[in-house]
Amino acid sequence: MEQLEPGVRLVRANNPSPMTYTGTNTYLLGTRHIAVIDPGPDDPAHLEAILSAVPRGARISHILVTHSHLDHSPLARPLSDRTGAPVYAMGDSRTGRSPIMEELAARGLMRGGEGVDPDFRPDEVLRDGMVLDSPDWQIEAIHTPGHFGNHMSFATQDIVFTGDHVMGWASSLVSPPDGDLTQFMASCATLKERPARIFYAGHGEPITDPNARLDWLIAHRRSREAQIVGALRDGPATAAQLTKAIYTEVDPRLLPAAERNVLAHLIDLTQRGRAAPDGALSASAAFKLQKP
């Protein structure tokens, strides 16, 4: 357990990987009435670590889940069973998808499936702008889809818990149909409008200059789009072909995730009329630029 600041503690899950960095960050907010944000993976040792981090005389009153990836949500139910605290989230793993992603998922053409928790169900459904209160804190739920359709960020005073939407160690994975780049960019704009002193992310260290990190993230996505558009000027290409051409210095273990990111960009370009698939929209389609 690490005390980050008064009323904010961190317990990091022991699940490091190329996708989770040093592990999932579980946050405990409050001194007497504790809100647990992102309980983490289904790991009995992590469950005991969370319970051990609760101060004497305090209790866990709320369990908040930013999104239902397997490294964030599965421990919510065991923690609820042990403490009696309800689980709060936007919804199950299909909630919040844009119409085009819902259509693609229904057609079975794109199965990202990067660690989705298919059984996740909250006890209490959150909506954008909903406020939760306790004697210790007030938390506003902010719908920030993009990395995942049901992704929520949670704001209290000048702190925002950003889950996997904004991280300091890497850009966020956007993998269709669960991830949606059009939504992702809109969510970045939403967070830009909110004054914040610090972001606490789902993985990695605190982000002490939130606006600078958001500026970097937006610029990074725009730069990646420019690379994709530049490559398409040479002729039609699939997401796999574009990934090999663009991600030349990436750990090979991350290339499948990079290909999903490229696909997300291609879908976004298609929605904006800047590109089009040759035939039906699918993960294996060749895309070509559209004339202005």
Side-chain angles (χ1 to χ4, degrees):
M1 190 273 291
E2 180 181 352
Q3 187 82 38
L4 299 175
E5 60 179 276
V8 182
R9 290 175 291 280
L10 165 66
V11 180
R12 182 172 290 119
N14 186 25
N15 62 334
S17 76
M19 298 302 296
T20 60
Y21 196 41
T22 54
T24 301
N25 291 337
T26 297
Y27 296 100
L28 280 69
L29 176 66
T31 55
R32 292 172 299 145
H33 303 81
I34 307 296
V36 173
I37 298 173
D38 278 348
D42 188 7
D43 178 356
H46 189 52
L47 173 61
E48 296 305 322
I50 293 170
L51 294 172
S52 297
V54 176
R56 179 171 298 191
R59 67 182 182 90
I60 294 174
S61 60
H62 296 67
I63 301 168
L64 280 61
V65 176
T66 61
H67 65 293
S68 50
H69 269 148
L70 286 172
D71 56 327
H72 288 261
S73 59
L75 203 61
R77 188 54 53 201
L79 183 61
S80 177
D81 291 342
R82 287 284 293 273
T83 63
V87 178
Y88 294 79
M90 186 175 181
D92 64 19
S93 293
R94 291 182 55 181
T95 303
R97 279 181 179 164
S98 63
I100 189 171
M101 294 303 173
E102 189 63 29
E103 177 187 345
L104 292 170
R107 287 163 52 193
L109 295 177
M110 298 183 182
R111 302 191 183 277
E114 279 78 18
V116 174
D117 184 355
D119 300 321
F120 178 74
R121 302 287 187 281
D123 298 312
E124 302 288 342
V125 173
L126 296 174
R127 293 288 178 261
D128 183 47
M130 188 177 291
V131 175
L132 302 175
D133 287 289
S134 90
D136 285 7
W137 44 256
Q138 185 178 78
I139 297 173
E140 180 184 353
I142 311 165
H143 187 206
T144 48
H147 173 71
F148 205 92
N150 69 1
H151 195 289
M152 282 273 183
S153 297
F154 298 110
T156 179
Q157 298 181 341
D158 55 0
I159 297 168
V160 182
F161 297 91
T162 56
D164 282 4
H165 188 82
V166 185
M167 299 181 289
W169 71 282
S171 60
S172 182
L173 172 67
V174 181
S175 177
D178 304 304
D180 184 319
L181 187 66
T182 306
Q183 289 184 330
F184 184 87
M185 297 298 278
S187 294
C188 285
T190 295
L191 290 175
K192 279 279 288 180
E193 294 173 357
R194 173 178 292 274
R197 171 179 55 87
I198 195 165
F199 285 171
Y200 290 123
H203 307 274
E205 300 305 311
I207 299 165
T208 56
D209 192 341
N211 274 339
R213 189 59 184 172
L214 283 166
D215 287 341
W216 178 89
L217 195 55
I218 292 166
H220 172 73
R221 288 296 175 182
R222 288 174 177 164
S223 174
R224 190 68 74 201
E225 177 185 297
Q227 287 180 296
I228 292 169
V229 169
L232 287 177
R233 289 197 177 100
D234 294 331
T238 64
Q241 291 168 333
L242 290 166
T243 301
K244 290 179 181 178
I246 294 170
Y247 288 84
T248 57
E249 299 180 0
V250 169
D251 184 331
R253 295 174 297 174
L254 297 178
L255 283 176
E259 184 176 335
R260 302 303 296 188
N261 269 325
V262 171
L263 179 61
H265 274 281
L266 291 168
I267 295 171
D268 177 64
L269 288 166
T270 298
Q271 288 185 278
R272 291 156 51 200
R274 297 195 61 194
D278 185 7
L281 181 59
S282 71
S284 59
F287 289 78
K288 58 186 176 183
L289 287 180
Q290 295 289 84
K291 293 181 180 180

